[in-house]
Amino acid sequence: FGAIIVLCMITFRTLLGTASIVLPLVLVSSLAEAMMAFMGIGLKVNTLPVVALGVGIGVDYGIYIYNRLSTLLKEGYELHDAYYRTLRLTGRAVIFTGFTLATGVGTWMFSALQFQADMGILLSFIFLANMVGAIVVLPALVRWLMMREKEAVAEIAGLFGWHRYLGHLTGGGTMANLEALWISGRVKPRQKVVASAQAHYTHRRISDVLGLSFQSVACDDRARMDIRSLRKALDGGDVGTVVATM
């Protein structure tokens, strides 16, 4: 699985997306090993390539489904609609391929050679299980691992009545401030960042690290940013970002 993880990371550049592809493979491989133990088939030189073949076919299914699903999500489709459109096109191809491969090797079950018959059963199971994993388990993992953040951001935006928003969750306030100020420096280069005197100290420090000019704005007697002081700062024409402390 190491090579699969590395190549998926290089291709998709997302740890959670890679996990969504690889975890169904791990599940199916574990089930295949359980079936091998039940049937008395050992993992040896003759059977190892068969298991590797099953994993190789399974990762193809996963990459096809994830790539299409991810593309539709980036285009703005909701998960339900993206999944439906993925099944209509890519899903049909994966299902057709899975049943075709399983049927082809399934004929080995009638062979007089015990090893070939066992491999027919094992490969048929692996092909079909990987198909189900890509069609059912992978989208469920995308929903659980990757969409919870989007839903949480939507709920937070809803608390403020925002219908248009952009954001994601971070590991803490300092990292959030760093990302926000970095974006502000890219969008409004060489312009000043202003924040209230009650703002967190990391705004000034991070602005210094990013090479952004920073100005503190006085607060009123209720610890709110003084509007007249803010207006005076804005009148200078060199302010690109105003930090709001809520």
Side-chain angles (χ1 to χ4, degrees):
F1 292 104
I4 293 174
I5 292 172
V6 171
L7 292 175
C8 286
M9 284 292 296
I10 293 174
T11 302
F12 298 110
R13 300 180 184 276
T14 165
L15 179 60
L16 296 180
T18 300
S20 299
I21 296 172
V22 173
L23 288 177
L25 296 177
V26 175
L27 175 62
V28 172
S29 296
S30 300
L31 293 175
E33 291 175 2
M35 174 173 280
M36 291 173 67
F38 177 76
M39 297 175 61
I41 304 173
L43 188 61
K44 46 193 175 183
V45 175
N46 293 331
T47 57
L48 185 59
V50 176
V51 177
L53 174 63
V55 173
I57 295 295
V59 74
D60 283 348
Y61 296 160
I63 289 174
Y64 297 152
I65 294 295
Y66 179 80
N67 183 65
R68 180 62 177 168
L69 188 62
S70 175
T71 299
L72 292 172
L73 289 173
K74 290 178 181 177
E75 291 177 359
Y77 289 96
E78 294 295 328
L79 179 60
H80 179 273
D81 294 331
Y83 179 54
Y84 175 72
R85 289 172 179 268
T86 299
L87 286 184
R88 288 192 62 184
L89 183 62
T90 310
R92 287 180 178 179
V94 168
I95 292 172
F96 177 80
T97 303
F99 276 108
T100 300
L101 290 173
T103 301
V105 298
T107 58
W108 295 358
M109 291 185 287
F110 304 103
S111 173
L113 297 175
Q114 186 61 45
F115 176 76
Q116 188 174 14
D118 291 342
M119 292 302 99
I121 297 173
L122 182 61
L123 279 175
S124 295
F125 170 79
I126 291 176
F127 290 154
L128 292 176
N130 277 322
M131 179 193 72
V132 173
I135 295 293
V136 178
V137 180
L138 189 153
L141 287 171
V142 170
R143 162 70 175 80
W144 184 58
L145 294 175
M146 304 182 68
M147 301 304 295
R148 293 175 69 183
E149 178 183 47
K150 183 177 180 180
E151 293 173 354
V153 171
E155 291 181 5
I156 294 172
L159 295 176
F160 298 94
W162 296 339
H163 300 289
R164 297 181 61 187
Y165 55 87
L166 177 65
H168 71 100
L169 304 181
T170 66
T174 300
M175 183 58 67
N177 293 338
L178 173 61
E179 290 192 16
L181 291 174
W182 180 82
I183 292 172
S184 72
R186 303 285 289 187
V187 175
K188 300 287 185 179
R190 295 180 300 278
Q191 291 193 310
K192 190 181 299 182
V193 176
V194 299
S196 78
Q198 295 291 331
H200 198 268
Y201 67 89
T202 54
H203 291 105
R204 181 185 296 275
R205 291 188 179 182
I206 293 172
S207 296
D208 290 340
V209 171
L210 297 176
L212 302 174
S213 178
F214 181 87
Q215 178 180 341
S216 180
V217 176
C219 293
D220 60 20
D221 55 359
R222 299 181 64 182
R224 300 176 303 184
M225 185 183 292
D226 184 73
I227 299 300
R228 283 179 291 186
S229 298
L230 176 61
R231 185 177 293 113
K232 183 178 179 180
L234 295 177
D235 288 341
D238 59 346
V239 175
T241 303
V242 177
V243 177
T245 302
M246 300 181 183

